[in-house]
Amino acid sequence: MQALWTILLLIVSNIFMTFAWYGHLKLSDMHISDSWPLILVILFSWGLAFFEYCAQVPANRIGSNLNGGPFTLIQLKVIQEVISLTVFTLIVMLFFKGETLHWNHFAAFACLILAVFFVFIR
């Protein structure tokens, strides 16, 4: 159950992270934030990042074997990176029209799947 909660919290965390890092670009594209000074864009992103941390920190605490969870720190990091890139790709495909996936992106995803496989070999 800890593994499931860890993964779900990492997904939520990465949704907020992606919008914190790239959401302001969509707001600009929609001409919502065109007149915002950079400091306001940064504060907007920090506001979203707060919710990212509200999910990321519990995910790491629940999931870490240092705290009774099922994953080593390296496993947690690799899982987080795969989730991060998956969430990022889905959000980009849904919200940023014009971005397309190419063969090399799929090759990179295959390498990530292999990374997860290798990190769990003991």
Side-chain angles (χ1 to χ4, degrees), residues 50-108:
F50 169 78
F51 295 103
E52 179 226 338
Y53 277 85
C54 287
Q56 180 76 31
V57 171
N60 287 331
R61 287 185 65 83
I62 293 167
S64 173
N65 65 355
L66 300 174
N67 206 37
F71 304 118
T72 67
L73 292 179
I74 294 172
Q75 290 170 334
L76 266 175
K77 184 60 180 173
V78 171
I79 292 167
Q80 189 278 328
E81 291 299 331
V82 170
I83 290 171
S84 177
L85 288 171
T86 302
V87 166
F88 171 79
T89 301
L90 291 172
I91 288 174
V92 165
M93 293 295 104
L94 290 172
F95 293 102
F96 292 88
K97 305 301 180 197
E99 293 285 333
T100 57
L101 290 173
H102 300 286
W103 72 268
N104 54 322
H105 300 132
F106 290 106

Side-chain angles (χ1 to χ4, degrees), residues 14-26:
N14 280 281
I15 290 169
F16 280 106
M17 179 191 71
T18 301
F19 280 112
W21 285 11
Y22 303 101
H24 63 90
L25 297 174
K26 185 61 178 176

